[in-house]
Amino acid sequence: MYDAIVVGARCAGASTALLLSRAGYRVLLVDKGTYGSDVLSTHLIHQPGVAALARWGLLDRVRASGCPPLTHTVYEVADIRLEGCARGVGGHREGFAPRRRFLDALLVDAAVAAGTEFRERCRVTGLLRDGTGRVVGVEARHGGRTFTERARLVIGADGMRSEVARLAAAPYTVRDPLLTCAYYTYWQDVPACLELYERPGGWVAAVPTNDGATLVLAYFPQSRFDEVRTDAHRAYQEQIRRTAPALGERLIGRQPVERLRGTGDQQNFFRRAAGPGWVLVGDAGHHKDSITARGISDAFWQVETLARGLEGTLGGDPVRLDAALARFAEERDGRLTPGYEATLGVARLDPHEQRLSLLRAVQSDPELTAIYFDMVAGIASAEALYTPRLLALL
């Protein structure tokens, strides 16, 4: 009997296993994929996520990987250019954008070192239930063999298309339409900081990552997905030229170093977070358009919140455990809803005049610019921007 079985060994699942194992619990971590494999991602870890890695003692390993710190941000829209750095959190003003094949493996390694049992290439096919309907374990397949394992808690951290969520019949509590499709690839030796470019119908981002490469992403309205996918390379390059011409000039004469990746399935939802014997973390329970790159940092926040709430609850008292899961669900929705709504606003790719007027005032003041970049990182709310200094400029 395990205290917890975590399904999914990416950012949310591996870090959940890490924290629970460090707390002394017996944890099984399973994943249908393979250790150190890649996955679609913006890679960006905003400052709250960086602070979490520091608390877990893992930030130095990210630095040692050669992933450059992101200490400078440029954001251009219309006639506006914001340039600076967030005020940060926990003494961390920098972001990072490590390749997922490195970051996910780092988190798995840390979990295993803390005592987690890890099984790759394991696909969960069912949830075990007791006579009351409570989830008490999983059924899974590995190498053609079916096996079962039991636990006091099953944690679904298996992404946007979560099998645990499907098997638990976790309903959507909030669901909004798809808003963007996105394509990206990597370019070698392209000088860049964290760069964000916006125009009506377009969004482009550049993010330095490992191995001297820069990730360049292009976003399109979801309504254009069928058109874009017919010639994704042409559409990708055209969107960069139109939305981020200065970045486009730096790419002239260069070739991508990896294939173009993309998706037209960036779902926007909250699912019910928990039920008797099960809970969802990361993208399994809440997913939003990747345009604000909040996924990793938000997952780390969920993981720490869940682990803290589970302290002393996995000893066999289901009433106490269910109360802790209910508190986590309420806290998750309260914390992440503002960022979700803000992301939907950006993903509509329609910068309205009211926001542009606000940004024109912000760009004239370095302190306001830093607060704005705090908002981008999920550190500050929109209300924090409305200082007497801003109101005097409007």
Side-chain angles (χ1 to χ4, degrees):
M1 165 78 78
Y2 293 93
D3 293 308
I5 296 174
V6 182
V7 181
R10 297 292 181 177
C11 286
S15 53
T16 300
L18 166 65
L19 296 190
L20 292 182
S21 291
R22 285 182 175 176
Y25 294 116
R26 186 170 183 239
V27 180
L28 172 64
L29 174 64
V30 300
D31 194 275
K32 66 182 179 182
T34 57
Y35 170 84
S37 59
D38 221 336
V39 66
L40 283 172
S41 177
T42 63
H43 304 353
L44 183 58
I45 309 175
H46 289 292
Q47 289 84 348
V50 172
L53 288 171
R55 287 191 293 273
W56 304 341
L58 301 179
L59 182 56
D60 285 345
R61 298 188 206 178
V62 174
R63 294 183 188 277
S65 75
C67 184
L70 305 173
T71 58
H72 192 75
T73 303
V74 171
Y75 169 40
E76 292 187 3
V77 56
D79 59 340
I80 300 156
R81 178 182 173 91
L82 271 61
E83 191 166 0
C85 181
R87 296 176 301 177
V89 60
H92 297 279
R93 301 190 69 189
E94 75 282 12
F96 285 89
R99 290 294 298 258
R100 291 293 298 275
R101 63 193 183 206
F102 164 76
L103 178 64
D104 296 353
L106 167 67
L107 292 166
V108 169
D109 289 346
V112 170
T116 295
E117 180 182 340
F118 173 53
R119 302 181 195 174
E120 60 183 333
R121 300 186 180 93
C122 290
R123 183 178 295 274
V124 169
T125 56
L127 296 177
L128 307 181
R129 299 178 185 270
D130 65 12
T132 68
R134 183 179 192 83
V135 171
V136 293
V138 300
E139 177 187 85
R141 289 185 61 80
H142 173 69
R145 181 180 67 88
T146 298
F147 67 90
T148 62
E149 296 289 0
R150 301 178 75 84
R152 294 182 175 87
L153 178 64
V154 173
I155 301 172
D158 49 340
M160 181 179 73
R161 302 177 186 89
S162 170
E163 185 68 6
V164 173
R166 187 187 72 80
L167 293 168
Y172 293 103
T173 56
V174 175
R175 198 174 190 185
D176 286 282
L178 304 177
L179 292 173
T180 76
C181 55
Y183 284 84
Y184 70 84
T185 187
Y186 304 87
W187 301 76
Q188 200 71 33
D189 300 321
V190 173
C193 57
L194 174 56
E195 301 177 25
L196 310 170
Y197 302 90
E198 182 180 9
R199 68 171 181 86
W203 179 281
V204 169
V207 190
T209 184
N210 295 90
D211 304 319
T214 295
L215 173 67
V216 178
L217 308 97
Y219 288 78
F220 308 80
Q222 180 67 25
S223 60
R224 291 190 58 197
F225 180 52
D226 288 340
E227 167 207 344
V228 167
R229 69 193 302 192
T230 60
D231 191 348
H233 286 87
R234 180 197 60 77
Y236 170 78
Q237 292 174 345
E238 179 182 323
Q239 187 72 298
I240 294 170
R241 285 195 297 268
R242 293 187 62 192
T243 306
L247 174 61
E249 289 180 5
R250 277 175 270 159
L251 302 181
I252 293 174
R254 301 179 185 273
Q255 294 296 321
V257 295
E258 295 189 21
R259 67 179 178 86
L260 189 67
R261 296 173 171 88
T263 179
D265 188 25
Q266 300 208 89
Q267 297 178 35
N268 299 296
F269 64 77
F270 284 84
R271 286 188 176 111
R272 179 182 172 188
W278 62 268
V279 65
L280 305 176
V281 295
D283 289 348
H286 163 57
H287 189 275
K288 52 188 171 293
D289 196 290
S290 69
I291 199 163
T292 54
R294 295 276 191 90
I296 297 175
S297 299
D298 283 355
F300 288 172
W301 177 85
Q302 291 181 59
V303 166
E304 287 194 316
T305 302
L306 176 64
R308 185 169 55 249
L310 288 176
E311 289 179 6
T313 67
L314 292 176
D317 180 354
V319 174
R320 189 176 179 191
L321 173 58
D322 290 349
L325 298 179
R327 288 191 296 270
F328 166 74
E330 183 177 4
E331 193 170 353
R332 182 203 69 172
D333 291 354
R335 171 64 177 258
L336 299 184
T337 293
Y340 176 77
E341 293 173 346
T343 295
L344 297 186
V346 175
R348 293 187 178 95
L349 299 178
D350 183 23
H352 53 78
E353 187 55 40
Q354 182 180 4
R355 181 157 70 92
L356 295 179
S357 297
L358 174 69
L359 291 173
R360 289 187 184 99
V362 168
Q363 75 173 339
S364 68
D365 188 288
E367 181 179 334
L368 292 174
T369 297
I371 297 173
Y372 184 81
F373 286 142
D374 273 355
M375 290 171 51
V376 171
I379 301 167
S381 66
E383 289 75 18
L385 190 62
Y386 284 87
T387 64
R389 184 176 301 200
L390 175 65
L391 297 176
L393 293 170
L394 291 175

